[in-house]
Amino acid sequence: MYNNKVEICGINTSKLKTLSDSEKRELLLRTKKGDSEARKELICGNLRLVLSIIQRFTNRRENLDDLFQVGCIGLIKSIDNFNTELDVKFSTYAVPMIIGEVRRYLRDNNSIRVSRSLRDLAYRALQAREEIQREKQRDATTDEIAEKIGEKKENVVRAMEAIIEPVSLFESVYNDGDESVYVIDQIKNSDDSDEQWIEDIALKEALKKLGERERSIITKRFYSGKTQMEIANEIGISQAQVSRLEKSAIDKMRKEL
């Protein structure tokens, strides 16, 4: 994707340094003690991580230099807020922080108009999410966010959804080289009107092409909001098998669409 662009913000991306986990650990410990050179080296050594993350946002037609700079802000926040006393990899903590910073930038530059009250609630929720993430070194749940800001869970969800730019159901949100996770993998729908929902997103014909078991898993997973483990217990197979069948079904539906 970057074959014809080796420089972003004046940085030659083909020569970015890569740090080992032990090197990151050592630099993080030195940074916490106030070593500015270690902090600088840590930032430079994680620019490849920023670069890999902003690639998922290239379909937004945003300026890559801008996204890279915003991602670097998220990286710096990760370094400054990382708790070295917990047994957590730095990248595990940094990735959602960088993604969150980029999404905030895209949200603030979104042309879709959202009411001030809804936007304010979303900002409070995002701030609470970051605070919980810093405290617990993991992603915050919606219940935790709602409790922290004293709002109903439904209101928090509505506010955060309102500031998210629409994306394709089959946009990749994660790729580890062997396997991708798409937006549709994370969909949960509690609407009882399955037929209407299918019509709205043009999936009815694609569903017809699936086998009975695959169609059953997709229906239970995305229309009834059940987890893979719940489905596995219902139909008598392992959770891993459900996961494989689900991804196979999604791949077939993507080809049909």
Side-chain angles (χ1 to χ4, degrees), residues 88-152:
V88 177
K89 276 191 174 184
F90 174 70
S91 57
T92 302
Y93 178 72
V95 168
M97 286 283 282
I98 296 170
I99 292 175
E101 200 67 33
V102 174
R103 283 179 174 166
R104 269 192 298 278
Y105 168 79
L106 294 173
R107 175 197 68 213
D108 292 341
N109 287 274
N110 193 348
S111 60
I112 298 176
R113 309 299 293 181
V114 179
S115 70
R116 179 62 181 271
S117 60
L118 205 59
R119 185 179 291 274
D120 287 346
L121 175 55
Y123 287 160
R124 288 167 52 211
L126 291 171
Q127 184 177 11
R129 184 174 68 182
E130 284 193 7
E131 291 175 359
I132 295 171
Q133 183 171 297
R134 284 197 298 269
E135 293 170 3
K136 303 190 176 183
Q137 300 288 298
R138 62 167 174 78
D139 286 342
T141 67
T142 307
D143 288 326
E144 289 173 333
I145 295 171
E147 182 179 356
K148 189 172 184 65
I149 63 177
E151 291 283 349
K152 291 182 179 180

Side-chain angles (χ1 to χ4, degrees), residues 153 184-190 221-226:
K153 177 181 177 180
I184 196 171
D185 293 333
Q186 301 179 338
I187 291 175
K188 177 177 179 179
N189 191 338
S190 58
R221 184 83 169 88
F222 301 117
Y223 304 154
S224 300
K226 295 185 177 181

Side-chain angles (χ1 to χ4, degrees), residues 85 128 130 181:
E85 295 180 0
E130 284 193 7
V181 177

Side-chain angles (χ1 to χ4, degrees), residues 15-242:
K15 295 182 179 180
L16 291 177
K17 184 178 179 180
T18 301
L19 298 172
S20 66
D21 287 340
S22 59
E23 288 174 322
K24 290 178 186 177
R25 184 73 180 174
E26 180 185 350
L27 289 171
L28 281 165
L29 291 172
R30 286 168 54 192
T31 298
K32 291 300 179 183
K33 294 178 180 179
D35 189 331
S36 59
E37 286 302 315
R39 183 173 182 268
K40 182 178 179 180
E41 187 176 347
L42 193 57
I43 293 171
C44 293
N46 281 280
L47 292 180
R48 281 190 180 277
L49 178 63
V50 176
L51 185 63
S52 67
I53 289 173
I54 68 170
Q55 291 185 48
R56 74 184 65 184
F57 297 99
T58 54
N59 64 331
R60 307 296 182 91
R61 299 180 182 178
E62 294 287 337
N63 183 284
L64 289 181
D65 285 355
D66 291 343
L67 291 182
F68 188 71
Q69 291 182 63
V70 173
C72 287
I73 293 173
L75 171 63
I76 293 170
K77 286 184 177 180
S78 302
I79 292 172
D80 292 342
N81 293 309
F82 185 73
N83 188 344
T84 55
E85 295 180 0
L86 297 180
D87 186 21
V88 177
K89 276 191 174 184
F90 174 70
S91 57
T92 302
Y93 178 72
V95 168
M97 286 283 282
I98 296 170
I99 292 175
E101 200 67 33
V102 174
R103 283 179 174 166
R104 269 192 298 278
Y105 168 79
L106 294 173
R107 175 197 68 213
D108 292 341
N109 287 274
N110 193 348
S111 60
I112 298 176
R113 309 299 293 181
V114 179
S115 70
R116 179 62 181 271
S117 60
L118 205 59
R119 185 179 291 274
D120 287 346
L121 175 55
Y123 287 160
R124 288 167 52 211
L126 291 171
Q127 184 177 11
R129 184 174 68 182
E130 284 193 7
E131 291 175 359
I132 295 171
Q133 183 171 297
R134 284 197 298 269
E135 293 170 3
K136 303 190 176 183
Q137 300 288 298
R138 62 167 174 78
D139 286 342
T141 67
T142 307
D143 288 326
E144 289 173 333
I145 295 171
E147 182 179 356
K148 189 172 184 65
I149 63 177
E151 291 283 349
K152 291 182 179 180
K153 177 181 177 180
E154 295 77 10
N155 294 339
V156 171
V157 171
R158 189 180 303 111
M160 295 183 73
E161 287 179 345
I163 61 173
I164 296 175
E165 184 177 347
V167 296
S168 165
L169 285 171
F170 296 106
E171 178 181 338
S172 175
V173 294
Y174 173 76
N175 189 307
D176 65 0
D178 299 320
E179 188 173 2
S180 293
V181 177
Y182 302 96
V183 172
I184 196 171
D185 293 333
Q186 301 179 338
I187 291 175
K188 177 177 179 179
N189 191 338
S190 58
D191 190 347
D192 291 332
S193 181
D194 291 348
E195 185 68 19
Q196 183 61 48
W197 193 84
I198 295 170
E199 290 288 346
D200 289 343
I201 62 173
L203 291 177
K204 183 177 180 180
E205 293 303 316
L207 279 170
K208 288 181 179 179
K209 302 296 177 66
L210 299 178
E212 183 177 350
R213 173 170 280 188
E214 289 177 327
R215 187 164 57 249
S216 174
I217 289 174
I218 292 296
T219 300
K220 293 176 185 294
R221 184 83 169 88
F222 301 117
Y223 304 154
S224 300
K226 295 185 177 181
T227 66
Q228 291 181 347
M229 185 60 71
E230 289 173 334
I231 297 171
N233 291 334
E234 281 188 23
I235 63 180
I237 61 176
S238 68
Q239 185 269 333
Q241 288 176 297
V242 171

